[in-house]
Amino acid sequence: MSAAVTVPAGVEPPEGDWAALDGRAVAVTVVLVAGLVTLAGALTLVGVAIRDPARLPVALAATLTAALVIVAVAALAARLSWRRARYRVTPERVEVRSGVLVRQRRSLALQRIRTVDVTAGPVLRTFGLVALRVGTGQRSGTGETILQLRPVDRLEADRLRTVLLDRVRSAGGPQAGPGDGRIASGDPRWIRYGLLTAATPLLAIGVPGILLQLADWLGLRDGLFGVVGAASRAVSPAVVAVVLVGVLLLVGGLSALALYAETWGHFRLDREPGGTLRVRRGVATTRSISLEERRLHGVELVEPLGVRLAGAARLDAVATGLVVGSDAESTEHRTLLPAAPRSLAERVAAVVLGESLCPTAQPLTPHPAAARRRRLARALLCVAVPVLALALPGLLVPVTPLVVAAVVLMVPATPVALLFARDAAANLGHGLTGRYLVTRSGSLRRSTVALRRDGVIGWRIRQSPWQRHAGLVTVTATTAAGRGAFTAHDAAAVDGVEFAAGAVPGLLSPFVRSSGPGRG
């Protein structure tokens, strides 16, 4: 395979200096398509054999013919696509040409590049290939601005990654230092935290749903329901319900463990020469994500309820140029350490930030009792709305089951809601420590953010009429890093304004003098 040629600045590389993607792209496509066609064909044949065995020979011949046609067409399309795909790296830009019927030419300026990710699924790894993704970390109407080279040889991908990240040193970024090397490695014992996330109940519902759909496709659903119905007639329905719930939880738990192991297996966090943090992880599909430290403005300690009760936490980066949003890809891009013991997460945070002590571990200013009363009132309101929706029709029209359902809902829901409200209030806090401002909030997902003060570009101070009556204020620091805003909810009015004014001296003082704490 040819390699991309770097030419002097200001000189346009000739057409011959474009490099081709790896020629094994066609073989990769054939293997992937053949695998999918084989799976679909096998399921189709099994379904035919169950429903009408006499049609099996005809179905087999048709399936084989369709499979060969599909694989041949996919191979031809992959060959044409490979012949037209080219890329090159110049001193100013990385450029990619692609397309068969519609030709495309995309480029990114080197100074805009924020992420260089290397991914390899099982098939790519078998051929010694990877997919290289270069992104700006910015979102457009169609998604993040990225260029993808797939596939390229692993050695070529490492070379390209080094070339693209070398601009940090050329731009005066951090150089190699005594802190370079391994920061953290995965521990097999961390897999237990995979059971304590929201993935377990979601998978407990989703996986059986997929299996039921597959059984319906194969014509086995009626038989499956017949077995469950026979079991419910042989034993108590309550026993059947308990067994089904147990099976669902078992399926969800095993699926969550497998998902955690596949996503975070072989985890490593390294600091590389030139001031780059590199996260590598994955078992069947490996992934390498790089983050320049000069774009790091802080860290976020994330503690979902189950993980927090186990004394663990996840560490995320607060940095410019990362994918932002609520999707799984966003989380995976910014995660520096998966769910691990909280003490380790705090030590890793201190090393990453270059501090002797982790800012998120420092004592914070608690929020007043009025903030707790506000959360208790919200909790009662959340319980009252569905309870009243059930009870009122039952009171107006004699419908006893609705009233009973309202009582059954209210009795357990009220103490649980109040418990979560008290926990959310106890978790509120803010403070200033060294170069960082720190905010904490949340119950089901407690989040503690340490943001560098010089990363704050503005403040939003908000008071609703209820907050003004209670002497509370919500203070939000805006920044170009992470999700763009970090908030101290329902702080005491004086404390909140002093917090904002002290974090970035001079930024808020004109408004404080002229408007007072009740305005912003």
Side-chain angles (χ1 to χ4, degrees), residues 374-403:
R374 190 176 191 193
R375 276 146 187 80
L376 293 174
R378 288 175 178 173
L380 293 175
L381 181 62
C382 289
V383 174
V385 170
V387 167
L388 291 176
L390 289 172
L392 287 179
L395 294 176
L396 297 176
V397 180
V399 185
T400 304
L402 290 179
V403 177

PDB file of all heavy atoms in Angstrom, residues 374-403:
ATOM      1  N   ARG A 374     -37.670  22.515  48.771  1.00  0.00           N
ATOM      2  CA  ARG A 374     -38.107  22.602  47.384  1.00  0.00           C
ATOM      3  C   ARG A 374     -38.122  21.219  46.731  1.00  0.00           C
ATOM      4  O   ARG A 374     -39.044  20.875  45.987  1.00  0.00           O
ATOM      5  CB  ARG A 374     -37.172  23.544  46.619  1.00  0.00           C
ATOM      6  CG  ARG A 374     -37.677  23.890  45.242  1.00  0.00           C
ATOM      7  CD  ARG A 374     -36.775  24.883  44.559  1.00  0.00           C
ATOM      8  NE  ARG A 374     -37.406  25.401  43.350  1.00  0.00           N
ATOM      9  CZ  ARG A 374     -36.790  26.092  42.409  1.00  0.00           C
ATOM     10  NH1 ARG A 374     -35.503  26.361  42.542  1.00  0.00           N
ATOM     11  NH2 ARG A 374     -37.426  26.516  41.350  1.00  0.00           N
ATOM     12  N   ARG A 375     -37.124  20.404  47.009  1.00  0.00           N
ATOM     13  CA  ARG A 375     -37.078  19.057  46.430  1.00  0.00           C
ATOM     14  C   ARG A 375     -38.116  18.138  47.048  1.00  0.00           C
ATOM     15  O   ARG A 375     -38.686  17.286  46.354  1.00  0.00           O
ATOM     16  CB  ARG A 375     -35.669  18.491  46.593  1.00  0.00           C
ATOM     17  CG  ARG A 375     -34.751  18.947  45.474  1.00  0.00           C
ATOM     18  CD  ARG A 375     -33.319  19.163  45.868  1.00  0.00           C
ATOM     19  NE  ARG A 375     -32.626  19.751  44.719  1.00  0.00           N
ATOM     20  CZ  ARG A 375     -32.696  21.043  44.398  1.00  0.00           C
ATOM     21  NH1 ARG A 375     -33.415  21.872  45.143  1.00  0.00           N
ATOM     22  NH2 ARG A 375     -32.061  21.509  43.327  1.00  0.00           N
ATOM     23  N   LEU A 376     -38.399  18.305  48.321  1.00  0.00           N
ATOM     24  CA  LEU A 376     -39.454  17.509  48.943  1.00  0.00           C
ATOM     25  C   LEU A 376     -40.814  17.850  48.337  1.00  0.00           C
ATOM     26  O   LEU A 376     -41.639  16.957  48.085  1.00  0.00           O
ATOM     27  CB  LEU A 376     -39.466  17.753  50.454  1.00  0.00           C
ATOM     28  CG  LEU A 376     -38.241  17.236  51.239  1.00  0.00           C
ATOM     29  CD1 LEU A 376     -38.324  17.672  52.695  1.00  0.00           C
ATOM     30  CD2 LEU A 376     -38.140  15.716  51.145  1.00  0.00           C
ATOM     31  N   ALA A 377     -41.052  19.138  48.087  1.00  0.00           N
ATOM     32  CA  ALA A 377     -42.321  19.544  47.475  1.00  0.00           C
ATOM     33  C   ALA A 377     -42.448  18.975  46.060  1.00  0.00           C
ATOM     34  O   ALA A 377     -43.524  18.505  45.660  1.00  0.00           O
ATOM     35  CB  ALA A 377     -42.420  21.065  47.450  1.00  0.00           C
ATOM     36  N   ARG A 378     -41.357  18.989  45.298  1.00  0.00           N
ATOM     37  CA  ARG A 378     -41.401  18.426  43.952  1.00  0.00           C
ATOM     38  C   ARG A 378     -41.681  16.921  44.001  1.00  0.00           C
ATOM     39  O   ARG A 378     -42.433  16.388  43.176  1.00  0.00           O
ATOM     40  CB  ARG A 378     -40.066  18.671  43.236  1.00  0.00           C
ATOM     41  CG  ARG A 378     -39.839  20.116  42.823  1.00  0.00           C
ATOM     42  CD  ARG A 378     -38.443  20.247  42.231  1.00  0.00           C
ATOM     43  NE  ARG A 378     -38.163  21.586  41.768  1.00  0.00           N
ATOM     44  CZ  ARG A 378     -36.962  21.989  41.334  1.00  0.00           C
ATOM     45  NH1 ARG A 378     -35.952  21.120  41.318  1.00  0.00           N
ATOM     46  NH2 ARG A 378     -36.780  23.226  40.930  1.00  0.00           N
ATOM     47  N   ALA A 379     -41.068  16.225  44.963  1.00  0.00           N
ATOM     48  CA  ALA A 379     -41.276  14.782  45.079  1.00  0.00           C
ATOM     49  C   ALA A 379     -42.740  14.466  45.369  1.00  0.00           C
ATOM     50  O   ALA A 379     -43.330  13.561  44.761  1.00  0.00           O
ATOM     51  CB  ALA A 379     -40.372  14.212  46.169  1.00  0.00           C
ATOM     52  N   LEU A 380     -43.348  15.226  46.307  1.00  0.00           N
ATOM     53  CA  LEU A 380     -44.758  14.994  46.627  1.00  0.00           C
ATOM     54  C   LEU A 380     -45.648  15.301  45.426  1.00  0.00           C
ATOM     55  O   LEU A 380     -46.651  14.610  45.188  1.00  0.00           O
ATOM     56  CB  LEU A 380     -45.162  15.848  47.826  1.00  0.00           C
ATOM     57  CG  LEU A 380     -44.503  15.459  49.164  1.00  0.00           C
ATOM     58  CD1 LEU A 380     -44.898  16.452  50.254  1.00  0.00           C
ATOM     59  CD2 LEU A 380     -44.895  14.035  49.560  1.00  0.00           C
ATOM     60  N   LEU A 381     -45.289  16.328  44.665  1.00  0.00           N
ATOM     61  CA  LEU A 381     -46.077  16.666  43.479  1.00  0.00           C
ATOM     62  C   LEU A 381     -45.996  15.548  42.435  1.00  0.00           C
ATOM     63  O   LEU A 381     -47.005  15.206  41.806  1.00  0.00           O
ATOM     64  CB  LEU A 381     -45.575  17.981  42.889  1.00  0.00           C
ATOM     65  CG  LEU A 381     -46.317  18.488  41.637  1.00  0.00           C
ATOM     66  CD1 LEU A 381     -47.780  18.761  41.977  1.00  0.00           C
ATOM     67  CD2 LEU A 381     -45.641  19.749  41.091  1.00  0.00           C
ATOM     68  N   CYS A 382     -44.799  14.972  42.259  1.00  0.00           N
ATOM     69  CA  CYS A 382     -44.640  13.890  41.285  1.00  0.00           C
ATOM     70  C   CYS A 382     -45.476  12.668  41.666  1.00  0.00           C
ATOM     71  O   CYS A 382     -45.950  11.936  40.787  1.00  0.00           O
ATOM     72  CB  CYS A 382     -43.163  13.492  41.181  1.00  0.00           C
ATOM     73  SG  CYS A 382     -42.133  14.728  40.361  1.00  0.00           S
ATOM     74  N   VAL A 383     -45.657  12.421  42.964  1.00  0.00           N
ATOM     75  CA  VAL A 383     -46.493  11.306  43.404  1.00  0.00           C
ATOM     76  C   VAL A 383     -47.971  11.677  43.300  1.00  0.00           C
ATOM     77  O   VAL A 383     -48.804  10.859  42.896  1.00  0.00           O
ATOM     78  CB  VAL A 383     -46.134  10.894  44.848  1.00  0.00           C
ATOM     79  CG1 VAL A 383     -47.100   9.830  45.355  1.00  0.00           C
ATOM     80  CG2 VAL A 383     -44.700  10.395  44.913  1.00  0.00           C
ATOM     81  N   ALA A 384     -48.310  12.928  43.654  1.00  0.00           N
ATOM     82  CA  ALA A 384     -49.716  13.333  43.713  1.00  0.00           C
ATOM     83  C   ALA A 384     -50.379  13.327  42.340  1.00  0.00           C
ATOM     84  O   ALA A 384     -51.558  12.958  42.228  1.00  0.00           O
ATOM     85  CB  ALA A 384     -49.820  14.727  44.330  1.00  0.00           C
ATOM     86  N   VAL A 385     -49.663  13.710  41.288  1.00  0.00           N
ATOM     87  CA  VAL A 385     -50.281  13.804  39.960  1.00  0.00           C
ATOM     88  C   VAL A 385     -50.821  12.459  39.480  1.00  0.00           C
ATOM     89  O   VAL A 385     -52.008  12.346  39.141  1.00  0.00           O
ATOM     90  CB  VAL A 385     -49.285  14.414  38.949  1.00  0.00           C
ATOM     91  CG1 VAL A 385     -49.827  14.293  37.529  1.00  0.00           C
ATOM     92  CG2 VAL A 385     -49.017  15.878  39.282  1.00  0.00           C
ATOM     93  N   PRO A 386     -50.012  11.383  39.437  1.00  0.00           N
ATOM     94  CA  PRO A 386     -50.597  10.113  38.979  1.00  0.00           C
ATOM     95  C   PRO A 386     -51.613   9.525  39.955  1.00  0.00           C
ATOM     96  O   PRO A 386     -52.578   8.875  39.537  1.00  0.00           O
ATOM     97  CB  PRO A 386     -49.378   9.192  38.825  1.00  0.00           C
ATOM     98  CG  PRO A 386     -48.329   9.790  39.688  1.00  0.00           C
ATOM     99  CD  PRO A 386     -48.568  11.257  39.665  1.00  0.00           C
ATOM    100  N   VAL A 387     -51.411   9.756  41.268  1.00  0.00           N
ATOM    101  CA  VAL A 387     -52.367   9.234  42.252  1.00  0.00           C
ATOM    102  C   VAL A 387     -53.730   9.894  42.061  1.00  0.00           C
ATOM    103  O   VAL A 387     -54.774   9.221  42.050  1.00  0.00           O
ATOM    104  CB  VAL A 387     -51.837   9.445  43.678  1.00  0.00           C
ATOM    105  CG1 VAL A 387     -52.943   9.193  44.712  1.00  0.00           C
ATOM    106  CG2 VAL A 387     -50.664   8.513  43.946  1.00  0.00           C
ATOM    107  N   LEU A 388     -53.744  11.214  41.905  1.00  0.00           N
ATOM    108  CA  LEU A 388     -55.011  11.910  41.699  1.00  0.00           C
ATOM    109  C   LEU A 388     -55.641  11.543  40.360  1.00  0.00           C
ATOM    110  O   LEU A 388     -56.870  11.463  40.233  1.00  0.00           O
ATOM    111  CB  LEU A 388     -54.796  13.420  41.779  1.00  0.00           C
ATOM    112  CG  LEU A 388     -54.442  13.965  43.172  1.00  0.00           C
ATOM    113  CD1 LEU A 388     -54.153  15.458  43.099  1.00  0.00           C
ATOM    114  CD2 LEU A 388     -55.566  13.684  44.158  1.00  0.00           C
ATOM    115  N   ALA A 389     -54.800  11.311  39.347  1.00  0.00           N
ATOM    116  CA  ALA A 389     -55.334  10.916  38.043  1.00  0.00           C
ATOM    117  C   ALA A 389     -56.070   9.585  38.127  1.00  0.00           C
ATOM    118  O   ALA A 389     -57.039   9.349  37.389  1.00  0.00           O
ATOM    119  CB  ALA A 389     -54.199  10.826  37.026  1.00  0.00           C
ATOM    120  N   LEU A 390     -55.629   8.720  39.017  1.00  0.00           N
ATOM    121  CA  LEU A 390     -56.314   7.442  39.219  1.00  0.00           C
ATOM    122  C   LEU A 390     -57.500   7.567  40.174  1.00  0.00           C
ATOM    123  O   LEU A 390     -58.549   6.960  39.955  1.00  0.00           O
ATOM    124  CB  LEU A 390     -55.334   6.398  39.765  1.00  0.00           C
ATOM    125  CG  LEU A 390     -54.272   5.862  38.810  1.00  0.00           C
ATOM    126  CD1 LEU A 390     -53.277   4.998  39.559  1.00  0.00           C
ATOM    127  CD2 LEU A 390     -54.913   5.072  37.678  1.00  0.00           C
ATOM    128  N   ALA A 391     -57.327   8.350  41.248  1.00  0.00           N
ATOM    129  CA  ALA A 391     -58.326   8.373  42.315  1.00  0.00           C
ATOM    130  C   ALA A 391     -59.565   9.193  41.955  1.00  0.00           C
ATOM    131  O   ALA A 391     -60.686   8.795  42.287  1.00  0.00           O
ATOM    132  CB  ALA A 391     -57.698   8.913  43.597  1.00  0.00           C
ATOM    133  N   LEU A 392     -59.393  10.342  41.288  1.00  0.00           N
ATOM    134  CA  LEU A 392     -60.539  11.215  41.034  1.00  0.00           C
ATOM    135  C   LEU A 392     -61.640  10.548  40.210  1.00  0.00           C
ATOM    136  O   LEU A 392     -62.818  10.631  40.573  1.00  0.00           O
ATOM    137  CB  LEU A 392     -60.061  12.505  40.361  1.00  0.00           C
ATOM    138  CG  LEU A 392     -59.306  13.481  41.280  1.00  0.00           C
ATOM    139  CD1 LEU A 392     -58.852  14.704  40.502  1.00  0.00           C
ATOM    140  CD2 LEU A 392     -60.182  13.885  42.459  1.00  0.00           C
ATOM    141  N   PRO A 393     -61.308   9.867  39.096  1.00  0.00           N
ATOM    142  CA  PRO A 393     -62.401   9.175  38.387  1.00  0.00           C
ATOM    143  C   PRO A 393     -63.083   8.118  39.253  1.00  0.00           C
ATOM    144  O   PRO A 393     -64.302   7.927  39.170  1.00  0.00           O
ATOM    145  CB  PRO A 393     -61.687   8.524  37.190  1.00  0.00           C
ATOM    146  CG  PRO A 393     -60.458   9.335  37.004  1.00  0.00           C
ATOM    147  CD  PRO A 393     -60.039   9.760  38.368  1.00  0.00           C
ATOM    148  N   GLY A 394     -62.300   7.451  40.111  1.00  0.00           N
ATOM    149  CA  GLY A 394     -62.894   6.442  40.977  1.00  0.00           C
ATOM    150  C   GLY A 394     -63.780   7.034  42.053  1.00  0.00           C
ATOM    151  O   GLY A 394     -64.706   6.375  42.536  1.00  0.00           O
ATOM    152  N   LEU A 395     -63.531   8.281  42.454  1.00  0.00           N
ATOM    153  CA  LEU A 395     -64.374   8.931  43.464  1.00  0.00           C
ATOM    154  C   LEU A 395     -65.635   9.524  42.844  1.00  0.00           C
ATOM    155  O   LEU A 395     -66.702   9.540  43.458  1.00  0.00           O
ATOM    156  CB  LEU A 395     -63.577  10.030  44.175  1.00  0.00           C
ATOM    157  CG  LEU A 395     -62.389   9.555  45.030  1.00  0.00           C
ATOM    158  CD1 LEU A 395     -61.634  10.743  45.589  1.00  0.00           C
ATOM    159  CD2 LEU A 395     -62.860   8.642  46.160  1.00  0.00           C
ATOM    160  N   LEU A 396     -65.487  10.047  41.613  1.00  0.00           N
ATOM    161  CA  LEU A 396     -66.638  10.642  40.949  1.00  0.00           C
ATOM    162  C   LEU A 396     -67.623   9.577  40.471  1.00  0.00           C
ATOM    163  O   LEU A 396     -68.827   9.738  40.533  1.00  0.00           O
ATOM    164  CB  LEU A 396     -66.176  11.503  39.770  1.00  0.00           C
ATOM    165  CG  LEU A 396     -65.306  12.722  40.140  1.00  0.00           C
ATOM    166  CD1 LEU A 396     -64.823  13.427  38.893  1.00  0.00           C
ATOM    167  CD2 LEU A 396     -66.086  13.686  41.024  1.00  0.00           C
ATOM    168  N   VAL A 397     -67.059   8.489  39.944  1.00  0.00           N
ATOM    169  CA  VAL A 397     -67.879   7.358  39.476  1.00  0.00           C
ATOM    170  C   VAL A 397     -67.414   6.146  40.269  1.00  0.00           C
ATOM    171  O   VAL A 397     -66.213   5.917  40.380  1.00  0.00           O
ATOM    172  CB  VAL A 397     -67.681   7.120  37.965  1.00  0.00           C
ATOM    173  CG1 VAL A 397     -68.536   5.936  37.504  1.00  0.00           C
ATOM    174  CG2 VAL A 397     -68.031   8.374  37.189  1.00  0.00           C
ATOM    175  N   PRO A 398     -68.325   5.397  40.849  1.00  0.00           N
ATOM    176  CA  PRO A 398     -67.918   4.244  41.676  1.00  0.00           C
ATOM    177  C   PRO A 398     -67.111   3.212  40.889  1.00  0.00           C
ATOM    178  O   PRO A 398     -67.647   2.298  40.272  1.00  0.00           O
ATOM    179  CB  PRO A 398     -69.260   3.659  42.138  1.00  0.00           C
ATOM    180  CG  PRO A 398     -70.241   4.758  42.006  1.00  0.00           C
ATOM    181  CD  PRO A 398     -69.797   5.579  40.837  1.00  0.00           C
ATOM    182  N   VAL A 399     -65.780   3.405  40.855  1.00  0.00           N
ATOM    183  CA  VAL A 399     -64.865   2.460  40.203  1.00  0.00           C
ATOM    184  C   VAL A 399     -63.828   2.066  41.251  1.00  0.00           C
ATOM    185  O   VAL A 399     -62.783   2.715  41.379  1.00  0.00           O
ATOM    186  CB  VAL A 399     -64.203   3.077  38.953  1.00  0.00           C
ATOM    187  CG1 VAL A 399     -63.349   2.020  38.244  1.00  0.00           C
ATOM    188  CG2 VAL A 399     -65.251   3.631  38.004  1.00  0.00           C
ATOM    189  N   THR A 400     -64.130   1.064  42.019  1.00  0.00           N
ATOM    190  CA  THR A 400     -63.267   0.672  43.139  1.00  0.00           C
ATOM    191  C   THR A 400     -61.850   0.316  42.707  1.00  0.00           C
ATOM    192  O   THR A 400     -60.879   0.702  43.386  1.00  0.00           O
ATOM    193  CB  THR A 400     -63.907  -0.504  43.898  1.00  0.00           C
ATOM    194  OG1 THR A 400     -65.204  -0.130  44.312  1.00  0.00           O
ATOM    195  CG2 THR A 400     -63.064  -0.892  45.096  1.00  0.00           C
ATOM    196  N   PRO A 401     -61.629  -0.408  41.596  1.00  0.00           N
ATOM    197  CA  PRO A 401     -60.250  -0.754  41.222  1.00  0.00           C
ATOM    198  C   PRO A 401     -59.344   0.456  41.022  1.00  0.00           C
ATOM    199  O   PRO A 401     -58.153   0.392  41.348  1.00  0.00           O
ATOM    200  CB  PRO A 401     -60.430  -1.537  39.909  1.00  0.00           C
ATOM    201  CG  PRO A 401     -61.803  -2.110  40.006  1.00  0.00           C
ATOM    202  CD  PRO A 401     -62.612  -1.075  40.722  1.00  0.00           C
ATOM    203  N   LEU A 402     -59.894   1.577  40.517  1.00  0.00           N
ATOM    204  CA  LEU A 402     -59.062   2.766  40.335  1.00  0.00           C
ATOM    205  C   LEU A 402     -58.621   3.334  41.677  1.00  0.00           C
ATOM    206  O   LEU A 402     -57.471   3.763  41.843  1.00  0.00           O
ATOM    207  CB  LEU A 402     -59.827   3.824  39.539  1.00  0.00           C
ATOM    208  CG  LEU A 402     -60.082   3.509  38.055  1.00  0.00           C
ATOM    209  CD1 LEU A 402     -60.879   4.634  37.415  1.00  0.00           C
ATOM    210  CD2 LEU A 402     -58.770   3.302  37.319  1.00  0.00           C
ATOM    211  N   VAL A 403     -59.507   3.369  42.650  1.00  0.00           N
ATOM    212  CA  VAL A 403     -59.152   3.876  43.978  1.00  0.00           C
ATOM    213  C   VAL A 403     -58.111   2.969  44.617  1.00  0.00           C
ATOM    214  O   VAL A 403     -57.136   3.436  45.219  1.00  0.00           O
ATOM    215  CB  VAL A 403     -60.407   3.984  44.858  1.00  0.00           C
ATOM    216  CG1 VAL A 403     -60.024   4.450  46.260  1.00  0.00           C
ATOM    217  CG2 VAL A 403     -61.414   4.935  44.235  1.00  0.00           C
TER     218      VAL A 403
END
